[in-house]
Amino acid sequence: MNILFIKKSQKPEAKSQILTFIFSLALWLMANASFSQEKQQDTTKVKQLDEVLVSAVRVTSKTPVSFSNLDKKEIKFRNLGQDIPILMNYLPSVVTTSDAGNGVGYTGIRVRGSDASRVNVTINGIPYNDSESQGTYWVNMPDFASSVESLQLQRGVGTSTNGAGAFGASLNMLTDSYSDTTSSEISNSIGSFNTQKHTVKFSTGLMNDHFEIAGRLSTLKSDGYVDRASSDLKSYFLQGTYVGKKTLIKALAFGGYERTYQSWNGVDATTLVTNRTYNSVGEKYSDTGDFEGYYQNQVDNYNQDHAQLHWNEKISEHWNSNLAFHYTKGKGYYEEFVDDWFYTNVLFKEDSKFTFLGLDEINVNGNPITSTDYTRRKWLDNNFYGTTFSANYKDEKLDFILGGSYNKYEGSHFGQVIWAQFASQSELGNKYYDNSATKNDGAIFAKANYQISSKFSLFGDLQLRNVIYKINSPETGLVNANFNFFNPKAGLNYTMNEKNILYFSYARANREPNRTDYEGENAKPEKLNDFELGWRYTSEKVKFNSNIYYMVYKDQLILTGNLDDVGNPIRSNSEKSYRLGLEVDATISVSEKFFLRPNFTLSASKNIDLAVEGKNYGTTNIAYSPSIIAGNIIVYKPIEGLQISLLQKFVGEQYMNNIESHDAKLASYFVNDLNVGYEIKPKSVFKSIVITGLVNNILDNKYLSNGYMWDVYPYYYPQAGINFLAGLTLKF
């Protein structure tokens, strides 16, 4: 039921004008840069410039922040069509879920118990979270993992970044670097539930030592594990790069189209026992309540396009700068059949009433008609655009970054009836609701790592952020919110010796309510004080990280477990709450052929003196916050090119509400996946042939990864039993 997308543009000409501006500017920059640069390049230095694109939002082991890195090489044998959250499933403190049950279509991620709306996501430093819902919808970017060079997940508040404040984690992705040589790639995979992915990639390599053009086209289809939870997805990625001795300019255009049959209702507890794949969405009934089948076009349609322009300049030995402009255009709707009998007699909702649609009562053969069956489309048509910038000074002791961002969101929300059994005075194309929202988000920050001595380094980070959010809708009323947030952070690194590093950090974060929060009570902004204490150990055969976190919240907007009438999660302020935990992860090289990558998180997430509808429940567990999360990857490489991996995930029991109702408990689960990859490097024709296989849930565990409460009744999202994906990649 995730229906607040990242959408843009109320004016048809806006998209072409902004795209033309971005790419015209890109061509001008590249042309001017080409006259000012020497022909011969120092490729080592230039490749370092590519990393600067995300230097303002990424951290290193010298920063007192808990984080994990995941690069293209680590996921190449598993990248068979499942979404990025599923590929991240085995990182510490991470829990993932899939509406369709097989990792394709709508997927979600939680970190330290915090849902996706509290995980700040950036692409090359550009904010990706939806401005209103603050969520991230990966279905809008199918197969994006095939264009990601690396990603970094910072747990907790992390460092200052662009977009909404991180209340659980920050995820920043760096798209593909340029290639020195010409290459092309064809990748195909098939699997259970009629899942198939087809990807084509190319790179021209550096032309005239300066220019490269690279791209990708992908199609992805799946019937899904859940009944009718089908996906028809397409995406593209196009990148032009100019490489100079001190200059890197990138112009990117990427996007996706998704058409998914809705599966966001879940399944009730009674039906779950007899039919795990049941999907109630689209059900049709007669006037007497007899089941008549399903509406076949109960689908979610959405198109999203992104444009980014990045200019990185190495000004001197110590200084470099980064300037970026971006624009995202999105437009889409979900289509829904409203059954008069079902809405009136089962849901007890007014949606089928003429008054709800703004229509007049009619008479048919002398009988008054006050409601009707009809089909509606709920549209979102939005723009998101802005700029990010930073300057970095770096010498032997000091690494200093000064930067900021300004982004604007313009959204249009409206509904249309495209068919009705009784149309009254409505006309095709009429809007039965129409409202808009704007959001201005500006921030400046300064952060530095300073090497005090050979053993001590000090980290500091200051951010000022201003948010102006305006809405006027029947659900929220008139909202004109203006927030000013000051987010300081500080930390200390202590290098005991070559193998051991200790760190401590404190971070303050403030965050504004989202659109849905304004539909209920008078929502307050949240405040978080995050304390982190960690130890990093590195030797030739072992890398070990441990971290204790204590996150203290004021007015935390916690998930209640309930959904509103269009499926958005309902949140409520918890005056006092905290999350306390221990995270441990390691990489252990048992031998040259055998590796272990275990991790676990032990935590307590509590509301203090929780009051719900006037009743005090005392100290309770925060919803969707399991007390134990554990993962492990066992890797065996018997011969060159062959890798066999066993991937394991355990998630402890968790509640779907904050009052610890017995029926609101999700049971723990333990899942094992088997991944085999074999890469052959022929001497002619192909540079590489990669054969991959992935068997998910090899023990056929019948588990539930997510759910919600409809009043006091639980609904669940069942995940698939044993299933497989197999792929073949040819690189030229």
Side-chain angles (χ1 to χ4, degrees):
M1 289 192 170
N2 303 322
I3 60 166
L4 283 180
F5 309 123
I6 305 178
K7 318 285 186 207
K8 290 99 195 147
S9 190
Q10 300 169 4
K11 297 182 179 180
E13 69 274 11
K15 176 181 177 180
S16 59
Q17 289 175 348
I18 298 177
L19 289 174
T20 300
F21 167 76
I22 288 179
F23 284 103
S24 297
L25 183 57
L27 292 173
W28 181 85
L29 287 171
M30 291 179 180
N32 280 273
S34 64
F35 286 110
S36 63
Q37 304 298 329
E38 299 175 12
K39 183 175 181 179
Q40 298 300 319
Q41 304 302 313
D42 184 339
T43 56
T44 302
K45 290 183 178 179
V46 171
K47 283 192 177 295
Q48 291 173 351
L49 289 176
D50 200 49
E51 295 295 330
V52 177
L53 291 178
V54 292
S55 64
V57 295
R58 283 203 173 177
V59 297
T60 67
S61 59
K62 292 184 178 181
T63 311
V65 170
S66 176
F67 70 94
S68 299
N69 292 325
L70 191 64
D71 62 27
K72 184 183 292 290
K73 291 181 181 179
E74 292 182 72
I75 62 173
K76 72 175 183 179
F77 290 146
R78 290 193 286 129
N79 184 24
L80 298 169
Q82 293 178 308
D83 269 354
I84 285 178
I86 307 302
L87 297 175
M88 294 172 57
N89 185 49
Y90 303 97
L91 296 180
S93 299
V94 167
V95 176
T96 63
T97 187
S98 166
D99 283 10
N102 66 326
V104 180
Y106 274 96
T107 59
I109 186 171
R110 294 193 179 99
V111 183
R112 291 185 178 178
S114 296
D115 70 286
S117 70
R118 308 162 78 72
V119 178
N120 179 290
V121 179
T122 57
I123 301 173
N124 299 323
I126 303 299
Y128 180 67
N129 297 65
D130 175 62
S131 294
E132 291 198 86
S133 72
Q134 301 175 0
T136 303
Y137 305 115
W138 300 100
V139 69
N140 300 331
M141 299 172 63
D143 198 31
F144 192 67
S146 293
S147 295
V148 172
E149 185 73 23
S150 65
L151 61 83
Q152 182 179 88
L153 180 68
Q154 298 175 25
R155 295 179 290 276
V157 172
T159 64
S160 289
T161 188
N162 301 314
F167 259 58
S170 299
L171 171 62
N172 60 76
M173 296 178 286
L174 175 65
T175 55
D176 282 343
S177 179
Y178 68 89
S179 174
D180 294 316
T181 58
T182 303
S183 64
S184 58
E185 178 181 317
I186 299 173
S187 180
N188 298 281
S189 61
I190 58 172
S192 302
F193 318 116
N194 198 28
T195 301
Q196 50 186 296
K197 179 179 81 75
H198 308 289
T199 301
V200 177
K201 294 183 68 176
F202 76 92
S203 169
T204 62
L206 281 182
M207 300 178 291
N208 297 323
D209 296 324
H210 287 296
F211 295 95
E212 185 234 26
I213 298 174
R216 171 185 57 82
L217 291 173
S218 301
T219 64
L220 210 168
K221 293 185 178 182
S222 178
D223 291 340
Y225 167 67
V226 173
D227 294 344
R228 305 182 316 285
S230 60
S231 300
D232 184 0
L233 316 174
K234 298 176 177 65
S235 69
Y236 68 94
F237 181 89
L238 183 64
Q239 176 175 277
T241 305
Y242 169 79
V243 178
K245 188 174 183 180
K246 296 183 178 181
T247 303
L248 178 68
I249 299 172
K250 280 190 173 185
L252 300 91
F254 57 93
Y257 164 78
E258 64 95 356
R259 180 182 174 90
T260 56
Y261 195 97
Q262 298 161 18
S263 57
W264 47 49
N265 277 7
V267 56
D268 64 275
T270 302
T271 308
L272 179 69
V273 177
T274 57
N275 185 4
R276 285 178 55 83
T277 63
Y278 171 69
N279 183 8
S280 65
V281 173
E283 289 180 338
K284 301 171 67 175
Y285 295 87
S286 69
D287 292 339
T288 57
D290 296 320
F291 177 68
E292 293 185 328
Y294 297 96
Y295 181 63
Q296 297 302 309
N297 208 40
Q298 191 97 351
V299 294
D300 183 44
N301 280 265
Y302 176 56
N303 205 85
Q304 184 183 75
D305 299 289
H306 301 258
Q308 295 183 1
L309 173 62
H310 297 270
W311 178 17
N312 176 245
E313 188 74 24
K314 187 173 177 60
I315 300 170
S316 67
E317 180 184 355
H318 299 296
W319 282 97
N320 66 66
S321 63
N322 189 56
L323 176 64
F325 298 97
H326 67 90
Y327 171 64
T328 304
K329 164 65 183 175
K331 187 175 183 179
Y333 62 87
Y334 76 86
E335 187 168 316
E336 180 181 36
F337 176 75
V338 176
D339 186 279
D340 183 20
W341 180 88
F342 186 75
Y343 271 71
T344 301
N345 295 283
V346 178
L347 297 182
F348 303 104
K349 292 172 62 176
E350 299 294 317
D351 290 34
S352 61
K353 304 297 184 183
F354 278 170
T355 52
F356 177 82
L357 298 172
L359 303 177
D360 297 333
E361 179 182 315
I362 61 174
N363 280 276
V364 176
N365 298 324
N367 297 315
I369 303 296
T370 61
S371 58
T372 182
D373 292 348
Y374 67 93
T375 303
R376 63 185 174 187
R377 288 179 176 175
K378 290 194 169 186
W379 284 85
L380 293 134
D381 184 2
N382 300 344
N383 294 296
F384 179 62
Y385 53 91
T387 180
T388 65
F389 48 89
S390 64
N392 182 204
Y393 174 85
K394 192 172 185 178
D395 61 24
E396 292 182 359
K397 288 190 173 183
L398 178 64
D399 187 353
F400 172 75
I401 299 177
L402 177 67
S405 63
Y406 177 77
N407 303 297
K408 186 169 185 178
Y409 168 91
E410 299 169 341
S412 176
H413 305 250
F414 60 91
Q416 293 178 318
V417 176
I418 62 171
W419 172 87
Q421 182 182 14
F422 302 104
S424 185
Q425 82 273 24
S426 65
E427 297 286 344
L428 186 64
N430 284 358
K431 299 177 181 179
Y432 69 92
Y433 72 88
D434 188 1
N435 59 79
S436 61
T438 61
K439 188 173 185 178
N440 294 273
D441 189 338
I444 57 172
F445 66 85
K447 53 186 174 182
N449 264 306
Y450 181 68
Q451 195 72 37
I452 301 173
S453 67
S454 60
K455 292 186 177 294
F456 289 95
S457 64
L458 183 65
F459 170 76
D461 184 340
L462 301 174
Q463 183 197 52
L464 288 171
R465 180 167 174 252
N466 173 254
V467 178
I468 301 174
Y469 184 34
K470 297 180 180 180
I471 325 168
N472 190 5
S473 75
E475 295 82 12
T476 64
L478 179 62
V479 175
N480 191 349
N482 190 334
F483 300 103
N484 289 293
F485 297 134
F486 174 56
N487 302 313
K489 307 170 185 70
L492 184 69
N493 253 30
Y494 173 53
T495 304
M496 299 174 62
N497 49 47
E498 292 182 355
K499 295 182 178 181
N500 294 278
I501 296 176
L502 299 177
Y503 66 84
F504 172 77
S505 67
Y506 162 77
R508 161 66 71 90
N510 295 271
R511 187 179 177 92
E512 72 278 11
N514 67 19
R515 181 187 178 98
T516 306
D517 297 329
Y518 286 108
E519 294 179 6
E521 62 187 55
N522 185 21
K524 305 173 185 176
E526 312 170 84
K527 300 177 180 64
L528 167 61
N529 292 296
D530 182 14
F531 301 88
E532 309 267 342
L533 176 63
W535 169 36
R536 296 187 177 109
Y537 173 82
T538 305
S539 68
E540 185 178 345
K541 292 189 175 183
V542 177
K543 292 183 179 179
F544 175 85
N545 302 293
S546 65
N547 184 72
I548 297 173
Y549 63 87
Y550 182 44
M551 305 170 72
V552 185
Y553 297 86
K554 169 66 174 174
D555 296 322
Q556 180 182 185
L557 283 161
I558 55 173
L559 295 174
T560 64
N562 297 118
L563 307 178
D564 69 8
D565 61 350
V566 292
N568 296 304
I570 296 174
R571 306 192 301 181
S572 177
N573 287 116
S574 176
E575 184 178 358
K576 295 179 181 179
S577 57
Y578 68 85
R579 299 182 188 272
L580 173 65
L582 168 67
E583 296 169 326
V584 175
D585 69 278
T587 300
I588 304 169
S589 177
V590 180
S591 67
E592 292 183 357
K593 298 181 178 181
F594 193 49
F595 304 88
L596 300 175
R597 294 176 181 167
N599 66 76
F600 68 85
T601 300
L602 303 176
S603 64
S605 301
K606 303 290 184 179
N607 299 295
I608 301 173
D609 294 327
L610 179 69
V612 178
E613 296 180 351
K615 181 178 179 180
N616 192 304
Y617 287 87
T619 299
T620 67
N621 287 294
I622 299 177
Y624 303 102
S625 300
S627 59
I628 180 170
I629 302 170
N632 187 31
I633 301 178
I634 303 172
V635 180
Y636 179 53
K637 299 180 179 181
I639 60 174
E640 184 177 355
L642 176 62
Q643 177 174 302
I644 303 170
S645 302
L646 178 65
L647 304 101
Q648 302 174 301
K649 190 73 175 187
F650 176 82
V651 177
E653 64 181 28
Q654 53 190 304
Y655 287 96
M656 296 186 293
N657 64 18
N658 294 279
I659 59 175
E660 301 179 355
S661 304
H662 179 268
D663 291 336
K665 182 181 288 188
L666 274 176
S668 62
Y669 58 87
F670 180 49
V671 181
N672 294 264
D673 300 339
L674 181 65
N675 183 211
V676 179
Y678 185 46
E679 184 172 13
I680 308 168
K681 294 187 177 180
K683 295 182 179 180
S684 61
V685 184
F686 300 110
K687 293 180 181 178
S688 170
I689 300 173
V690 180
I691 304 169
T692 54
L694 176 64
V695 183
N696 297 299
N697 196 3
I698 58 175
L699 300 180
D700 200 28
N701 188 5
K702 302 296 189 294
Y703 71 103
L704 307 166
S705 61
N706 194 20
Y708 66 93
M709 301 297 293
W710 189 264
D711 193 15
V712 296
Y713 304 104
Y715 283 75
Y716 305 102
Y717 295 98
Q719 302 301 288
I722 186 170
N723 64 96
F724 81 94
L725 291 165
L728 175 65
T729 299
L730 305 175
K731 298 181 180 180
F732 302 87

